[in-house]
C-alpha cells in the first residue's frame, strides 16, 4: 500500500471497489480514443480457431447445398431448406464476426497515473485498486485476461473460437453465435437423416451427384461435426443464459466470488445484455451496426491490437 494524493492505491487482482459505471469509465481520453479503433486480438491460436470455425460452417453449407439439396427432385424441399440453412449460416458467421471484432469492455492500459487519479476526485482515504499486470485502475467485476493483456469488464471467459474475450460489450453477440451454430447443426443433422433415408429407399447413384462412397464420407463427417457442435454450443448457450439471468459471470462462479454488487432480476439481466424490451432485435446480430462508422474507425485509428 502506498499513499498518493490523499487516497490509498493498492496493487490487487480481485474485489475492486470502484463501480463499473463510475465517471472515469467514459471521461478518459484514452478510452475515447480506443473506442474509435477496430478491435482485434493478435493471438495465433485464436486466429486459427476462428478460421477453422468459418471453414467448418462453409463445409457444412457445401455438403447441405451441393450433396443433399440441389440433387433433390423435390423443388420446394430444396428451396425452403436451402434458404433457411444459408440464412442461419449468415447469422451465425455475422454473430461470430461481431463477437470477435467488438471491444469486450477493455479497461485502458496504464491509466493508473497520479494525474488520472487526481481527475477522479476521490475522497481522502478512499481505496481503489490497480491491476499489477496492465497497470490500469480496475473497475468492479473486471478481471485481467492474459491473452488480451487487458482487464475486461464483466469478463465471462476468453473463447479461442471467437479469438476474443466474452465480456460486457460483446456477450450478446456470443450468445447469438452459440444459438445460431446450434440451430444450423441441428438442421444439418435432420437433413442428413432425411438424406440417408431417401438414399437407402432409392438408388444411391440417383440421390446425389457425387459417387456413393464420396457422398457417404461427406455426410458422415457432417454428422460428426453437427453432433459435436450442437452439443458444445447448446451447452454453452444454456450456460450463458443462466449466467445472465443470475447476473454472474463464469469467472465469478468458478472463483465463488461473493457479490459486492446488487444483482439484477432475471429479465433485468437479459435486458441489460440484449438491450431494451424483448423484440426481434434481440436475435439480430446486425442491430446497432454502422458500416460508415466502421470505415471511419478503420481510416482514423486502424486496428486496435493486443500485443
Amino acid at each position: 500500500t502506498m499513499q498518493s494524493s490523499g487516497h490509498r492505491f493498492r496493487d490487487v487482482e480481485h474485489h475492486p471497489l470502484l463501480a463499473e459505471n463510475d465517471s472515469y469509465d467514459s471521461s478518459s481520453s484514452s478510452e475515447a480514443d480506443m473506442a474509435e479503433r477496430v478491435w482485434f486480438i493478435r493471438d495465433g491460436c485464436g486466429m486459427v480457431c476462428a478460421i477453422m470455425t468459418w471453414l467448418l460452417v462453409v463445409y457444412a453449407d457445401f455438403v447441405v447445398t451441393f450433396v443433399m439439396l440441389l440433387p433433390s427432385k423435390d423443388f420446394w424441399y430444396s428451396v425452403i431448406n436451402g434458404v433457411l440453412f444459408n440464412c442461419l449460416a449468415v447469422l451465425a458467421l455475422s454473430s461470430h464476426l461481431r463477437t470477435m471484432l467488438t471491444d469486450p469492455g477493455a479497461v485502458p492500459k496504464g491509466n493508473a497515473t497520479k494525474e488520472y487519479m487526481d481527475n477522479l476526485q476521490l475522497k481522502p482515504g478512499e481505496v481503489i485498486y490497480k491491476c499489477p499486470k496492465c497497470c490500469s485502475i480496475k473497475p468492479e467485476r473486471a478481471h485481467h485476461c492474459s491473452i488480451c493483456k487487458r482487464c475486461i469488464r464483466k469478463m465471462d471467459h476468453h473463447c479461442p473460437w471467437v479469438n476474443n474475450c466474452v465480456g460486457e460489450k460483446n456477450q450478446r453477440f456470443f450468445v447469438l453465435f452459440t444459438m445460431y451454430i446450434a440451430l444450423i447443426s441441428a438442421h444439418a443433422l435432420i437433413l442428413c437423416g432425411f438424406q440417408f433415408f431417401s438414399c437407402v429407399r432409392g438408388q444411391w447413384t440417383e440421390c446425389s451427384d457425387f459417387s456413393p462412397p464420396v457422398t457417404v464420407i461427406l455426410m458422415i463427417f457432417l454428422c460428426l461435426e453437427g453432433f459435436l457442435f450442437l452439443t458444445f454450443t447448446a451447452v454453452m448457450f444454456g450456460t450463458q443464459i443462466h449466467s445472465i439471468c443470475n447476473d454472474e459471470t463464469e469467472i465469478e462462479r468458478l472463483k465463488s466470488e461473493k457479490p459486492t454488487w446488487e444483482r439484477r432480476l432475471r429479465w433485468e439481466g437479459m435486458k441489460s445484455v440484449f438491450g431494451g424490451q424483448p423484440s426481434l432485435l434481440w436475435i439480430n446480430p446486425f442491430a446497432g451496426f454502422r458500416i460508415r462508422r466502421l470505415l471511419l474507425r478503420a481510416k482514423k485509428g486502424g486496428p486496435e491490437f493486443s500485443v
Side-chain angles (χ1 to χ4, degrees), residues 225-237:
E225 176 192 341
F227 177 76
L228 291 174
F229 270 78
L230 174 61
T231 303
F232 174 75
T233 54
V235 170
M236 185 60 71
F237 174 78

Side-chain angles (χ1 to χ4, degrees), residues 137-150:
I137 298 174
K138 200 166 187 180
E140 187 176 37
R141 305 186 70 182
H143 292 84
H144 185 86
C145 175
S146 58
I147 299 176
C148 295
K149 296 181 175 60
R150 293 286 185 87

Side-chain angles (χ1 to χ4, degrees), residues 43 50 89 105 135 143 163 189 213 273 277 293:
D43 174 55
C135 230
H143 292 84
N163 189 33
L189 289 173
V273 172
Q277 296 296 326
R293 183 188 303 172

Side-chain angles (χ1 to χ4, degrees), residues 52-61 63 85 181 184-185 188-189 218-231:
M52 283 180 59
T53 301
W54 276 67
L55 291 178
L56 288 170
V57 173
V58 170
Y59 169 78
D61 190 61
V63 176
F85 188 89
I181 290 294
I184 64 173
S185 298
L189 289 173
L218 291 174
M219 290 176 62
I220 287 177
F221 275 112
L222 179 59
C223 287
L224 291 174
E225 176 192 341
F227 177 76
L228 291 174
F229 270 78
L230 174 61
T231 303

Side-chain angles (χ1 to χ4, degrees), residues 252-287:
E252 292 165 349
R253 186 186 67 82
L254 292 174
K255 293 186 175 181
S256 300
E257 294 185 3
K258 294 181 180 180
T260 57
W261 62 94
E262 184 179 351
R263 286 189 172 180
R264 297 185 176 95
L265 298 176
R266 292 189 175 183
W267 273 112
E268 292 301 319
M270 293 290 288
K271 287 191 289 186
S272 70
V273 172
F274 290 92
Q277 296 296 326
S279 68
L280 290 177
L281 293 177
W282 278 23
I283 59 174
N284 179 13
F286 301 103

Side-chain angles (χ1 to χ4, degrees), residues 9-269:
F9 194 40
R10 294 181 176 174
D11 291 336
V12 293
E13 188 64 25
H14 306 294
H15 306 300
L17 297 180
L18 292 179
E20 60 194 35
N21 58 352
D22 278 347
S23 60
Y24 75 87
D25 211 20
S26 57
S27 62
S28 168
S29 60
S30 59
E31 177 90 349
D33 180 67
M34 184 176 66
E36 293 300 322
R37 297 174 181 268
V38 177
W39 180 267
F40 184 77
I41 302 300
R42 285 194 301 185
D43 174 55
C45 176
M47 288 188 284
V48 169
C49 289
I51 293 172
M52 283 180 59
T53 301
W54 276 67
L55 291 178
L56 288 170
V57 173
V58 170
Y59 169 78
D61 190 61
F62 169 80
V63 176
V64 167
T65 303
F66 293 98
V67 178
M68 293 189 281
L69 296 182
L70 287 182
S72 175
K73 297 178 181 179
D74 190 333
F75 175 77
W76 288 112
Y77 171 83
S78 299
V79 170
I80 293 173
N81 282 287
V83 170
L84 178 60
F85 188 89
N86 281 278
C87 285
L88 290 175
V90 169
L91 290 170
L93 294 178
S94 300
S95 301
H96 182 272
L97 271 181
R98 295 213 67 181
T99 308
M100 182 171 61
L101 300 180
T102 298
D103 174 5
V107 180
K109 280 184 178 180
N111 65 349
T113 62
K114 182 179 182 299
E115 295 77 16
Y116 193 64
M117 308 292 292
D118 293 338
N119 292 332
L120 295 180
Q121 298 180 347
L122 299 172
K123 298 177 182 179
E126 185 173 353
V127 179
I128 62 175
Y129 295 96
K130 181 185 79 172
C131 175
K133 298 177 181 177
C134 59
C135 230
S136 63
I137 298 174
K138 200 166 187 180
E140 187 176 37
R141 305 186 70 182
H143 292 84
H144 185 86
C145 175
S146 58
I147 299 176
C148 295
K149 296 181 175 60
R150 293 286 185 87
C151 281
I152 308 295
R153 296 184 183 92
K154 287 184 67 176
M155 176 181 170
D156 188 85
H157 67 288
H158 185 95
C159 179
W161 295 104
V162 297
N163 189 33
N164 202 0
C165 274
V166 177
E168 184 179 66
K169 295 182 180 179
N170 68 345
Q171 187 175 25
R172 168 176 172 260
F173 303 123
F174 181 75
V175 172
L176 294 181
F177 168 66
T178 58
M179 182 182 75
Y180 286 124
I181 290 294
L183 288 176
I184 64 173
S185 298
H187 192 193
L189 289 173
I190 293 171
L191 291 176
C192 281
F194 278 114
Q195 187 72 9
F196 273 118
F197 182 73
S198 62
C199 288
V200 169
R201 285 186 57 187
Q203 297 293 327
W204 277 92
T205 54
E206 297 178 0
C207 71
S208 174
D209 293 336
F210 294 85
S211 64
V214 174
T215 301
V216 171
I217 292 173
L218 291 174
M219 290 176 62
I220 287 177
F221 275 112
L222 179 59
C223 287
L224 291 174
E225 176 192 341
F227 177 76
L228 291 174
F229 270 78
L230 174 61
T231 303
F232 174 75
T233 54
V235 170
M236 185 60 71
F237 174 78
T239 302
Q240 288 292 302
I241 296 297
H242 180 267
S243 297
I244 294 171
C245 290
N246 288 339
D247 196 13
E248 181 182 47
T249 66
E250 187 67 15
I251 290 180
E252 292 165 349
R253 186 186 67 82
L254 292 174
K255 293 186 175 181
S256 300
E257 294 185 3
K258 294 181 180 180
T260 57
W261 62 94
E262 184 179 351
R263 286 189 172 180
R264 297 185 176 95
L265 298 176
R266 292 189 175 183
W267 273 112
E268 292 301 319

